[in-house]
Amino acid sequence: MSGDQLAALFRQLQPDHLTPRQVQDVVDVAASLPWVDVAAQVGEAAERHGRLELQAGRQYEVQVRVVRRAPPGGGGRGAAAGRDWRAHTPRFPKPQHEGWFAVLGDARSGELLALRRLSPAAAAGAAAAAGAAGRRAGRSGYTLMTNLKFAAPPASGDADYVVHVVSDVYLDVAETVPLRLRFWSKGDEQII
């Protein structure tokens, strides 16, 4: 939702106890909150019957892509608006920056399989060093990517894994992507 759409929505609520400046401050903060789309895929996996098929006992990587729908800084004012990853933390003594954790887990057992931190500052530095705008993803937002490595179980069977992408700044800001997997051994007959 854009800053203009937020302002129109907020005006419809008609908060009589707020000044126009306070209304604009609320809209600016709401527009700067991270709205992300998360995608996860396992390389080398073929999908059959609604599950990704992987060989048991091998190492795999889940590629996780987090796309921020609006530029960091949102609809804020000032020179830094839209150019940094600062979080809205007015009572914290120093500036904080958005960051994310990508977590791979087994939904059935609750086992943690992999954990990685996604740092926009590190991604921006790597892109600048490479001379490319690697964090820019088209017109719609900024992208962070990472790989979560895991070992497939040694036995054949179905598994329900999940990728959680969790903000390290904002409480309860998270996205979940389910991964329905089927592990097979070389001696198993594959269902085609």
Side-chain angles (χ1 to χ4, degrees), residues 69-123:
R69 293 183 192 172
R77 293 181 296 273
R83 288 200 307 248
D84 67 12
W85 292 81
R86 285 189 185 181
H88 180 73
T89 55
R91 296 185 184 205
F92 204 79
K94 62 180 187 168
Q96 295 297 302
H97 294 86
E98 286 180 23
W100 302 89
F101 287 101
V103 181
L104 177 66
D106 186 329
R108 294 179 187 172
S109 69
E111 181 182 0
L112 174 68
L113 301 171
L115 171 72
R116 294 286 305 255
R117 188 173 193 305
L118 290 100
S119 172

Side-chain angles (χ1 to χ4, degrees), residues 8-49:
L9 177 65
F10 203 71
R11 277 190 222 102
Q12 288 177 355
L13 299 174
Q14 299 178 352
D16 298 330
H17 61 284
L18 297 178
T19 67
R21 170 73 177 171
Q22 290 172 323
V23 169
Q24 187 59 47
D25 287 345
V26 170
V27 168
D28 288 346
V29 170
S32 71
L33 293 176
W35 293 23
V36 296
D37 291 319
V38 177
Q41 66 182 25
V42 181
E44 307 174 22
E47 185 173 345
R48 290 193 184 112
H49 306 291

Side-chain angles (χ1 to χ4, degrees), residues 9 11 56 60 93 147 181:
L9 177 65
R11 277 190 222 102
Y60 289 97
N147 292 327
L181 307 174

Side-chain angles (χ1 to χ4, degrees), residues 103-190:
V103 181
L104 177 66
D106 186 329
R108 294 179 187 172
S109 69
E111 181 182 0
L112 174 68
L113 301 171
L115 171 72
R116 294 286 305 255
R117 188 173 193 305
L118 290 100
S119 172
R135 62 189 167 110
R136 186 82 176 141
R139 304 174 318 143
S140 62
Y142 286 68
T143 300
L144 299 171
M145 291 186 284
T146 192
N147 292 327
L148 299 172
K149 296 179 183 180
F150 72 97
S156 301
D158 292 347
D160 292 316
Y161 288 179
V162 290
V163 174
H164 294 286
V165 176
V166 182
S167 171
D168 71 349
V169 174
Y170 298 109
L171 293 177
D172 218 18
V173 174
E175 290 288 328
T176 301
V177 177
L179 294 174
R180 299 185 63 206
L181 307 174
R182 174 169 292 134
F183 298 105
W184 57 272
S185 297
K186 287 190 179 187
D188 296 343
E189 283 188 39
Q190 289 187 23

